[in-house]
Amino acid sequence: MIEYAFYTTEPLDFPLSENIIVINDSNTPTIISNSKETNPIVYAPEINFYINSSKAHILEKIDVINKLYEIRGIKLDYAKFNEYKKEVKNRLLIIGNKEEAENFDDLKEFDKYYSLPEWIKDISGTIGNLKFTIQKGNESIDLEVDQAIWFNAPEIAFKQRGIVDPSDIGVEKAKQIIRKRVGIYEYRNYVTYNKDVCQYHHRVLKETCGNCANVCPTNAIIKDDETKELVFSHIDCDGCGGCVSVCPSGALDFSAIPRDSFYEISKIFSGFIPFIVPEDMVENLEIELPKNVIPFVIEGRKFLDEVHLLTLFQDSGAQIVFLNDNFSKGEKEAVKLINEISNRKFGKNAVLFTDNSEEAEILLYEAEKIPEAKYMINENNLNKREIFSIRLSHLIENDDLGVIDLSDNNFIHYGKVEIDENKCTLCMGCVSVCNVGALTAHDEDGTLKFDASMCTACGYCEVACAEKCLKVISDKLELNKDFFGQKTMAKDEPFYCIMCGKPFAPKKAIERIAAQLLPIFTDELKKKSIYCCPECKSKLLFNEYIERKTNGK
């Protein structure tokens, strides 16, 4: 199988890199190809688009074509999706009037059911097991089908995958879709999820997030308010990625271009103008590409956030042109923030965005390199907030660029905490619930520290504070060097383990625990364990267990 294949039946008027194999037989197995005709694992329409549209010199073209294959190779290597299958049978509900329904009389291979739109009272499930409640006069019917055709379907109908509206796409196209889906329906997960940094997961004291479920257009992510867990339905996901763009902590990632993949790809754009364009737009795009422009094709058109954009801006050292005919709310907010920061620093927008191709072509010629913005870091093993903090602090350096008010934002938030040190016992309850690393405990010097550049202003630490001495001040992003890095918020003497002598907690915290537990404990061993580090506490209790076992107690 050929890894990088360029399919053409015409002689090439310029050479390609030697690692790209030119083929004229569409039956040749390929992994990454410029043509659908070779039935590749990865179809890369941007290659033909670039060749046909770029005004670059031939030598630069050869180099960029190689980069385009390399980008696709990185995406393939780093992709984190799984493939799933589901059986779809031939049960079909047609919702419309008599004349509309008659358009589908020729679907003889289907078991068809009919309903007037006003009879539909409820809908749930997904393709393969769509469930309708139909109220016909006094009769209520629960009907399960595999798919449905619904003329002039209301918006709620499209929250379930498996419903087609012929009013939008025409009767014949609707028939094609319905027939194509019968059999084994294949789908994949478009997002990956890390519950450890999710700001909804198991937050029982107060709901602090739910952005992903709130913006999901298809009910593919649902909040279970009883368990405080997110429920994912990959079969209902349309792959837009909007949930990723609004996730404050990076708990969600886009599986086709995960964050580590995006980082590796961004490095390829060093010295070039990145032109972000959704994959399903590029094939029919007819615009001229100035030299020094490389298209960055993205699957899913709504997943980019402020970290993606800042990474690409700094790695390329150039303004980004972003064409999208359907920006997500998260992307709009991210672009606004990055441009505000860039304007304060460089007097120019970092991201030039538009929803139409004619304006995109103009912007591509206006886009400039900003060499002073260039900055590359190793993002491996860093979370979303860490990456943005490191990159933003470098951009600001020693400048004071003022304060950005984020109070009108829906998704991007920052916060600072105020702690009454006199009341704080350093119990570290706030630290235990901060899953982005903004609040941290330091046993080595008995301090509680806070990094404002990591804080999402979720406010859960405020709720969890046992002493009610912590307050979150939200939505002031300060663009000065003092905003970044850990600051000591409270301090105490370290308490040393009475067995091994290792410091393991602040003295105030141990005193507080002792005050609460000593009156309760009657066992001297348990009383002693209060003053032991976790390792020694385990040894103490284990030795006591062995002793009791040995003595037959």
Side-chain angles (χ1 to χ4, degrees), residues 475-486:
D475 290 334
K476 302 294 181 187
L477 176 58
E478 299 176 14
L479 302 180
N480 60 67
K481 64 179 182 180
D482 293 335
F483 189 73
F484 301 87
Q486 295 178 329

Side-chain angles (χ1 to χ4, degrees), residues 170-435:
V171 169
E172 293 308 313
K173 181 68 175 176
K175 290 178 183 176
Q176 287 179 20
I177 293 172
I178 293 292
R179 282 176 164 143
K180 187 177 179 181
R181 287 173 171 173
V182 173
I184 302 301
Y185 182 76
E186 297 181 349
Y187 60 100
R188 63 174 54 168
N189 61 309
Y190 284 97
V191 296
T192 58
Y193 174 56
N194 178 2
K195 68 178 187 302
D196 293 338
V197 294
C198 174
Q199 302 206 312
Y200 175 79
H201 186 75
H202 289 184
R203 296 209 153 177
V204 296
L205 300 177
K206 174 188 175 186
E207 182 170 317
T208 57
C209 192
N211 293 346
C212 54
N214 294 338
V215 302
C216 180
T218 62
N219 278 350
I221 305 177
I222 295 174
K223 296 182 294 182
D224 184 333
D225 288 333
E226 288 191 11
T227 63
K228 292 296 178 186
E229 294 179 358
L230 294 177
V231 180
F232 294 86
S233 174
H234 297 306
I235 197 170
D236 288 314
C237 177
D238 67 359
C240 72
C243 54
V244 176
S245 71
V246 299
C247 178
S249 62
L252 293 178
D253 203 359
F254 193 60
S255 64
I257 314 176
R259 207 169 290 283
D260 48 0
S261 169
F262 193 93
Y263 156 64
E264 292 295 334
I265 292 169
S266 292
K267 292 189 284 189
I268 294 175
F269 285 83
S270 177
F272 291 88
I273 305 290
F275 174 35
I276 301 175
V277 55
E279 186 177 79
D280 58 0
M281 291 183 72
V282 72
E283 197 164 21
N284 300 314
L285 200 57
E286 294 182 357
I287 63 174
E288 189 175 276
L289 292 180
K291 55 187 284 186
N292 292 325
V293 171
I294 300 180
F296 188 165
V297 169
I298 54 172
E299 297 84 346
R301 54 181 61 201
K302 297 182 178 180
F303 75 94
L304 297 178
D305 60 28
E306 68 276 18
V307 180
H308 291 113
L309 295 173
L310 186 57
T311 294
L312 187 57
F313 176 53
Q314 290 188 319
D315 280 3
S316 66
Q319 290 178 302
I320 301 165
V321 178
F322 189 2
L323 170 63
N324 194 340
D325 59 5
N326 189 12
F327 287 98
S328 69
K329 295 175 182 176
E331 286 175 333
K332 288 178 181 176
E333 208 164 275
V335 169
K336 182 182 175 184
L337 174 62
I338 296 298
N339 281 346
E340 178 68 35
I341 295 168
S342 178
N343 268 295
R344 294 191 185 198
K345 178 71 178 184
F346 306 114
K348 301 172 184 175
N349 284 335
V351 184
L352 311 176
F353 63 104
T354 177
D355 60 2
N356 71 81
S357 56
E358 291 79 10
E359 189 176 4
E361 188 171 68
I362 295 171
L363 294 176
L364 284 167
Y365 276 96
E366 291 178 352
E368 302 174 13
K369 295 180 182 177
I370 307 179
E372 57 271 35
K374 194 167 179 57
Y375 178 56
M376 302 180 86
I377 63 169
N378 184 351
E379 293 187 0
N380 291 326
N381 301 317
L382 298 177
N383 64 39
K384 175 180 176 177
R385 301 298 287 202
E386 288 175 310
I387 296 168
F388 197 71
S389 174
I390 294 170
R391 288 188 171 280
L392 184 57
S393 63
H394 180 272
L395 185 148
I396 293 168
E397 294 179 307
N398 294 318
D399 294 339
D400 186 347
L401 304 179
V403 179
I404 296 180
D405 184 353
L406 303 174
S407 56
D408 290 335
N409 278 7
N410 291 311
F411 309 114
I412 303 175
H413 298 285
Y414 278 85
K416 294 183 75 170
V417 300
E418 292 179 351
I419 296 177
D420 185 341
E421 191 171 0
N422 293 325
K423 294 181 180 177
C424 178
T425 60
L426 287 101
C427 68
M428 303 301 174
C430 54
V431 174
S432 67
V433 299
C434 179
N435 60 9

Side-chain angles (χ1 to χ4, degrees), residues 438-457:
L439 284 159
T440 49
H442 297 261
D443 294 342
E444 70 279 6
D445 61 357
T447 57
L448 166 64
K449 294 183 178 177
F450 173 70
D451 184 345
S453 68
M454 302 286 285
C455 179
T456 63

Side-chain angles (χ1 to χ4, degrees), residues 444-511:
E444 70 279 6
D445 61 357
T447 57
L448 166 64
K449 294 183 178 177
F450 173 70
D451 184 345
S453 68
M454 302 286 285
C455 179
T456 63
C458 72
Y460 205 60
C461 55
E462 187 174 296
V463 178
C465 177
E467 311 301 337
K468 302 302 176 193
C469 62
L470 185 153
K471 183 180 180 183
V472 177
I473 311 298
S474 300
D475 290 334
K476 302 294 181 187
L477 176 58
E478 299 176 14
L479 302 180
N480 60 67
K481 64 179 182 180
D482 293 335
F483 189 73
F484 301 87
Q486 295 178 329
K487 308 290 187 301
T488 298
M489 306 304 294
K491 186 175 182 179
D492 191 15
E493 295 177 39
F495 187 88
Y496 297 90
C497 174
I498 59 174
M499 287 184 66
C500 69
K502 183 178 70 177
F504 72 96
K507 188 176 178 182
K508 282 184 181 177
I510 296 300
E511 288 175 346

